[in-house]
Amino acid sequence: RKGCNVMATVDVFILWGLALVTLVVVLATLLPMLRLSHWVIRGFDFPRLQLAAVALVVLILQLALLDLGRPLSWFLVTATALSLGCQLWWILPYTVLWPREVKAARHGDPERTITILTSNVLTPNRNVGALISLVEKHQPDVLVTLESDQWWEDQLAVLKSRMPYTIQCPLDNLYGMHVFSRLPLIEAECRFLIEDDVPSMHALVELRSGEKVRIHFLHPAPPSPTENPESAERDAELVIVGRSVADTDEPVIVTGDLNDVAWSPTTRLFRKVSGLLDPRVGRGLHSTFHADYPLLRWPLDHLFHSEHFTLVSIQRLPSIGSDHFPLLTRLRYAPVRGQDQEPLQGDRDDDQWAKELAREQGASKHDVPEPGQGPEEINRK
């Protein structure tokens, strides 16, 4: 009898232990569905892959250890399975199991190819030689650095002999930004769209073939207890840029550290209102953060583009000592081949949500520079 009591106690312990873990998994799955911008809620947007792995392990333990003759056991199994399915719904598009959103480029004119290296360097990091070596090895047409202060500007000055076109905004608040380009930058401008100490950069880049591409470099602040307690500022910057580029038929690229994961509701909203494509879809996560913790990684550094481009390659480069890996993307300007590529489709609710996010911050798509748009077209809008 004593042995039976011990076994019953163990069974109860396992049941309620798994019930507690299931409750945590369910809450972590449901909370991000709320349109609340507090960092505690938005923080659950990030570790969906990790939460899916936890849900899978919990589901296996439930099936192995619980008495499936009890209704409570099946309730727990069902709740965990639904949570796992929900997490997979968000992340599966960023695996090779999903159809590719962007076509692979065919062999073509290299003069219509643009290579962009995006690198959050981490301000206190001093391994500038690693970044310069990557530039020398991969020969990007455009290099954008995030978190680069005056020290980084001074060290990267050696690149100017090969990349003479620059936009520079050294800051020591983790939001400095620099652009170095082999290709001409036209109407280049640094603008503080939402916050007075968080810059963005905007320009036309002229390809070797002569075509001009509108390009925006972004690094909005994340929702966190040490920075912005809410995601409102980040979300507003994304949607006003998205709504701005939606107004043009010209080729567009948006890149940078967006401090948001590829699958979050706000990044998806940005893709819907902008009409831009994500070359990661169907190709893999290419997670760029955190470089030091393999089990806690997600894609924070992004490149989105209009249907005018197809993809030559996208790859995460080796660490340069930052908490972010650099991201290297090669695109080919191929408007005919790319014209039937399908972006995420938005609806009236998405448009209304985007307008509300911008309105809450007193921001507008008209705050975003539109390089290449003459006064007549700007006034017409």
Side-chain angles (χ1 to χ4, degrees):
R1 183 179 299 175
K2 185 179 295 186
C4 291
N5 290 338
V6 170
M7 290 299 297
T9 302
V10 171
D11 288 344
V12 170
F13 178 80
I14 291 173
L15 175 64
W16 289 108
L18 288 174
L20 179 60
V21 176
T22 301
L23 176 62
V24 172
V25 170
V26 170
L27 286 176
T29 301
L30 294 178
L31 285 175
M33 296 181 182
L34 302 174
R35 287 188 179 178
L36 299 176
S37 60
H38 195 276
W39 70 269
V40 172
I41 304 299
R42 298 277 56 89
F44 288 109
D45 287 329
F46 291 77
R48 290 194 180 277
L49 180 61
Q50 290 80 2
L51 288 170
V54 170
L56 178 60
V57 171
V58 172
L59 183 60
I60 292 172
L61 291 175
Q62 289 171 340
L63 293 173
L65 301 177
L66 294 181
D67 178 2
L68 299 181
R70 295 180 177 179
L72 178 58
S73 297
W74 278 110
F75 176 80
L76 295 177
V77 167
T78 302
T80 304
L82 289 174
S83 297
L84 175 60
C86 182
Q87 299 293 358
L88 291 176
W89 182 87
W90 288 96
I91 61 179
L92 274 179
Y94 299 92
T95 70
V96 295
L97 301 176
W98 206 261
R100 293 178 175 181
E101 187 168 278
V102 176
K103 293 180 180 179
R106 293 173 175 168
H107 294 293
D109 190 351
E111 294 189 348
R112 283 186 150 191
T113 299
I114 180 170
T115 303
I116 299 175
L117 199 164
T118 302
S119 180
N120 183 319
V121 299
L122 184 65
T123 301
N125 175 31
R126 291 296 179 254
N127 194 10
V128 66
L131 179 58
I132 293 175
S133 294
L134 290 179
V135 172
E136 292 174 347
K137 178 179 180 179
H138 296 281
Q139 298 291 305
D141 298 307
V142 178
L143 165 68
V144 54
T145 62
L146 300 317
E147 292 199 27
S148 41
D149 58 4
Q150 187 62 53
W151 185 90
W152 275 91
E153 180 177 310
D154 295 341
Q155 301 303 309
L156 292 174
V158 298
L159 298 176
K160 290 183 179 179
S161 60
R162 290 155 288 173
M163 309 179 84
Y165 305 97
T166 62
I167 318 173
Q168 302 178 126
C169 184
L171 296 172
D172 58 6
N173 64 350
L174 304 181
Y175 291 98
M177 184 182 295
H178 291 76
V179 174
F180 299 84
S181 177
R182 302 176 194 274
L183 304 174
L185 297 177
I186 304 166
E187 299 181 37
E189 183 176 353
C190 180
R191 184 76 65 89
F192 296 83
L193 294 175
I194 303 294
E195 300 183 81
D196 293 339
D197 56 353
V198 178
S200 58
M201 292 178 173
H202 316 264
L204 286 179
V205 59
E206 183 175 339
L207 304 183
R208 294 174 182 85
S209 58
E211 284 99 356
K212 295 180 178 63
V213 178
R214 178 174 164 182
I215 190 164
H216 300 268
F217 305 95
L218 307 179
H219 185 205
S224 77
T226 59
E227 297 190 61
N228 291 339
E230 297 188 345
S231 66
E233 294 85 356
R234 179 200 67 187
D235 300 345
E237 182 165 334
L238 293 182
V239 298
I240 65 171
V241 172
R243 296 186 67 229
S244 174
V245 302
D247 289 339
T248 182
D249 294 325
E250 299 302 311
V252 173
I253 295 172
V254 176
T255 188
D257 171 7
L258 302 190
N259 276 312
D260 200 11
V261 282
W263 49 73
S264 81
T266 42
T267 295
R268 286 173 58 85
L269 179 65
F270 165 82
R271 290 172 57 202
K272 289 176 181 179
V273 299
S274 67
L276 299 185
L277 302 163
D278 186 348
R280 274 190 173 106
V281 173
R283 288 186 168 89
L285 297 174
H286 300 284
S287 296
T288 56
F289 178 92
H290 194 290
D292 296 331
Y293 305 111
L295 296 180
L296 292 175
R297 284 183 183 162
W298 36 75
L300 287 192
D301 301 272
H302 305 272
L303 185 142
F304 304 101
H305 60 81
S306 58
E307 63 180 14
H308 302 81
F309 299 95
T310 54
L311 183 72
V312 178
S313 64
I314 181 170
Q315 63 184 120
R316 188 183 71 189
L317 298 184
S319 171
I320 63 166
S322 171
D323 51 354
H324 288 245
F325 292 102
L327 184 70
L328 184 75
T329 311
R330 286 189 173 91
L331 301 176
R332 179 155 296 142
Y333 180 72
V336 175
R337 175 165 165 74
Q339 62 186 352
D340 59 346
Q341 297 178 122
E342 289 292 334
L344 275 182
Q345 298 297 318
D347 55 27
R348 183 176 300 178
D349 180 61
D350 294 315
D351 188 56
Q352 185 60 36
W353 184 22
K355 290 178 179 177
E356 289 175 1
L357 290 172
R359 191 181 305 119
E360 288 171 2
Q361 295 299 310
S364 165
K365 65 180 182 179
H366 301 295
D367 299 332
V368 180
E370 298 181 330
Q373 299 293 319
E376 290 184 2
E377 285 202 49
I378 292 175
N379 290 334
R380 192 188 315 149
K381 293 175 183 177

